[in-house]
Amino acid sequence: MINFEKKVLDNGLRVILAPLKSTEAVTLMAFVKVGSRWEVKKIGGISHFLEHMFFKGTKSRPEPGQVHRDLNKIGADHNAFTSKEMTGFWVKTSAKDFDVGLDVVSDILLEPLFKEEEIEKERGVILQEMDMYEDNLRVKVQSVLENIALGDQPIGWDIIGSKESVGAIKRNDLIKYEGENYKAGNMVLVVAGNFEPEETFKKLNAIFGKIKKGTNNPCAKAKIGQKSPNVKIINKDSDQTHLAMAARAYDMYDEKRYVLNLLSVILGGNTSSRLFSEIREKLGLAYYVYSWGEQYLDCGYLGMAAGIPHNKLGEVAEKITDICKEIKDGKISEEDVSLAKSYLRGQMALKFETSDEIAGFVAGQELFYNKIEQPTDIFKKIEKVTKEEIINAAREIFSPSKISLAAVGKQDAGKAEQKRYEAILAKLN
């Protein structure tokens, strides 16, 4: 049971306080409901660029590095991230140093400078980050997968943007985008850990009550017209081929997402799963092989991935397809379902041991659902899922019109090979 209290400031900013006496740490987390889905191609990557720039100087800390130095002085963990549908900033400090963490986070969000010279420096940093991802084929293949599974639209584009779009973003673009999207009505602030709630709320109200009222505009809706398997193979010099597959599934508001959680565990969610047992343990064809569920505002998918020998791509693609087909044909047992539920129960218990995990969970719940469900209530819904519901979900999503495959490595990327893999995926019919 997570103890929390929700308050709403006069400007509409939501504040969640989750006191924990069992820790000496405090996490402060600010989530903003804006990400790469809010962009147009011309300014692709601006959400991520902006996230970087918040750390590059403020009115109170104008010099580059001051923000990090002040947090390093107290041994704080801190970072930020940009996803397709939100941007987050967090700092985790000792309880006695919480005021420093609060001062820094409020400083970067309320008083950023966006200096021209720092924008140019950070542009170079982001271009290097792109090159890093380009060399990390395990990351790249999943980016390619979302490109083809979700299409040429904001939800399918890379969060980081392209070299062309990032190269063209100007200071005025950053200031305009920040002004349009960093508003109190689409922000959530969470404090979790060892703190005094009433005193802390007064501080938060005094500081973050200055953020302007309002909300940003909605993001572009996903429009996916897939009718047959999507395949994209990229030939790249590497030591292994990275394979990723996606079966389009349910969005974050669909009750079937709980069914999908269990399906993912059975398929590839742990070291007892079908994918792990068959592809790694029995065939010895992969070190990593797993599945996961991805849910967005209005779309989602069940993903599968593996790192394999170059000459085994066809065999592994066939095997994954066969395993999906077996589940679709009803070849799971009540014991499979029971073990999957038990696994999720244990993982959920482990997840809420620390202040940062609790803060992230609470912030995400409030930001996207406008309410906070207790983990126990969520698990009650998972417990109610039946074997028949899992099989029905498999029948619904494991379909040629919903399946995509991406591969990056030393591969023939010609049309004949693409047709070969389309034919493999078509077996899900």
Side-chain angles (χ1 to χ4, degrees):
M1 177 75 72
I2 297 174
N3 295 317
F4 67 89
E5 182 181 5
K6 174 182 173 179
K7 296 174 181 283
V8 181
L9 306 188
D10 289 343
N11 59 2
L13 191 148
R14 289 162 284 172
V15 174
I16 313 293
L17 303 176
L20 297 166
K21 295 303 181 186
S22 59
T23 178
E24 288 302 313
V26 184
T27 297
L28 170 65
M29 195 168 282
F31 276 13
V32 188
K33 195 173 181 181
V34 66
S36 59
R37 281 196 76 172
W38 274 256
E39 299 168 2
V40 295
K41 191 158 276 189
K42 183 182 178 183
I43 55 167
I46 195 170
S47 300
H48 173 255
F49 202 147
L50 185 61
E51 172 227 309
H52 277 231
M53 288 309 305
F54 279 115
F55 289 88
K56 299 296 288 184
T58 69
K59 290 181 181 177
S60 302
R61 296 174 172 88
E63 297 305 315
Q66 271 187 272
V67 167
H68 298 297
R69 281 196 298 274
D70 283 357
L71 291 173
N72 289 336
K73 283 177 187 176
I74 59 170
D77 288 339
H78 66 285
N79 213 331
F81 65 88
T82 305
S83 71
K84 294 192 173 183
E85 296 176 337
M86 69 175 175
T87 307
F89 306 83
W90 62 272
V91 60
K92 183 177 182 180
T93 70
S94 66
K96 70 181 183 64
D97 290 319
F98 171 68
D99 284 351
V100 177
L102 172 59
D103 185 56
V104 171
V105 172
S106 61
D107 198 20
I108 65 174
L109 290 175
L110 273 67
E111 296 191 331
L113 293 177
F114 303 143
K115 293 180 180 178
E116 285 280 9
E117 62 269 28
E118 295 307 319
I119 290 171
E120 292 311 311
K121 289 178 190 175
E122 206 60 25
R123 194 191 313 277
V125 169
I126 293 169
L127 293 176
Q128 286 300 306
E129 187 179 357
M130 285 183 185
D131 290 339
M132 178 184 72
Y133 292 142
E134 188 68 23
D135 287 339
N136 186 338
L137 302 193
R138 186 171 174 176
V139 172
K140 180 175 176 60
V141 74
Q142 292 189 19
S143 174
V144 174
L145 180 68
E146 287 211 347
N147 294 162
I148 62 170
L150 303 178
D152 185 16
Q153 56 183 329
I155 189 61
W157 297 341
D158 292 345
I159 294 166
I160 201 168
S162 67
K163 289 192 174 183
E164 292 74 22
S165 63
V166 169
I169 291 170
K170 307 297 183 189
R171 182 174 187 270
N172 285 343
D173 297 324
L174 291 164
I175 292 170
K176 182 173 183 287
Y177 194 79
E178 188 262 349
E180 290 172 345
N181 292 290
Y182 279 68
K183 297 179 180 179
N186 56 288
M187 295 180 70
V188 172
L189 199 66
V190 176
V191 182
N194 194 335
F195 64 94
E196 203 290 309
E198 187 174 343
E199 179 185 338
T200 299
F201 177 72
K202 288 179 181 178
K203 293 176 182 176
L204 297 175
N205 191 25
I207 297 168
F208 289 97
K210 301 170 186 175
I211 294 177
K212 61 186 171 186
K213 293 182 179 180
T215 60
N216 57 351
N217 292 323
C219 61
K221 291 185 178 180
K223 296 178 182 178
I224 302 172
Q226 182 183 359
K227 296 180 181 178
S228 59
N230 291 321
V231 173
K232 186 164 186 177
I233 300 171
I234 295 176
N235 181 25
K236 197 170 179 74
D237 189 23
S238 61
D239 291 326
Q240 68 176 174
T241 289
H242 296 266
L243 165 67
M245 294 170 60
R248 283 191 296 104
Y250 313 114
D251 64 42
M252 66 171 65
Y253 301 109
D254 195 320
E255 289 297 306
K256 291 180 186 175
R257 68 188 185 275
Y258 302 114
V259 181
L260 192 76
N261 288 344
L262 290 167
L263 174 56
S264 180
V265 172
I266 293 168
L267 178 63
N270 60 30
T271 51
S272 301
S273 66
R274 300 286 175 89
L275 294 181
F276 193 93
S277 297
E278 293 293 325
I279 294 170
R280 174 168 164 160
E281 300 291 89
K282 290 184 182 179
L283 298 176
L285 291 178
Y287 173 72
Y288 82 83
V289 57
Y290 64 95
S291 68
W292 74 99
E294 191 73 69
Q295 282 105 34
Y296 293 118
L297 291 167
D298 55 2
C299 60
Y301 64 87
L302 175 61
M304 298 152 270
I308 56 179
H310 299 305
N311 64 345
K312 298 295 183 180
L313 176 59
E315 182 179 345
V316 174
E318 288 257 20
K319 191 63 182 178
I320 293 176
T321 303
D322 289 344
I323 292 169
C324 292
K325 184 95 167 51
E326 285 177 1
I327 297 175
K328 181 178 180 177
D329 291 341
K331 294 180 181 177
I332 61 171
S333 66
E334 292 291 355
E335 184 182 12
D336 291 330
V337 177
S338 177
L339 288 173
K341 289 178 179 178
S342 179
Y343 176 78
L344 287 180
R345 186 187 304 112
Q347 288 290 294
M348 191 172 285
L350 294 175
K351 187 175 181 179
F352 299 108
E353 283 192 314
T354 60
S355 62
D356 49 322
E357 290 285 1
I358 289 173
F361 171 79
V362 170
Q365 287 266 304
E366 181 61 38
L367 191 68
F368 291 110
Y369 297 100
N370 295 313
K371 64 177 182 178
I372 300 169
E373 279 193 285
Q374 290 290 347
T376 50
D377 293 330
I378 293 173
F379 199 78
K380 284 177 185 176
K381 296 177 182 178
I382 294 172
E383 287 280 17
K384 290 179 181 178
V385 174
T386 65
K387 182 181 80 170
E388 289 70 28
E389 287 176 313
I390 295 172
I391 294 169
N392 287 337
R395 288 172 179 162
E396 188 175 356
I397 71 172
F398 293 143
S399 158
S401 64
K402 294 186 176 181
I403 197 78
S404 299
L405 180 152
V408 181
K410 288 181 183 177
Q411 297 293 329
D412 180 350
K415 288 186 178 179
E417 279 297 285
Q418 178 168 318
K419 292 292 184 184
R420 175 191 173 195
Y421 291 101
E422 287 173 358
I424 290 172
L425 299 179
K427 293 179 182 179
L428 288 172
N429 210 345

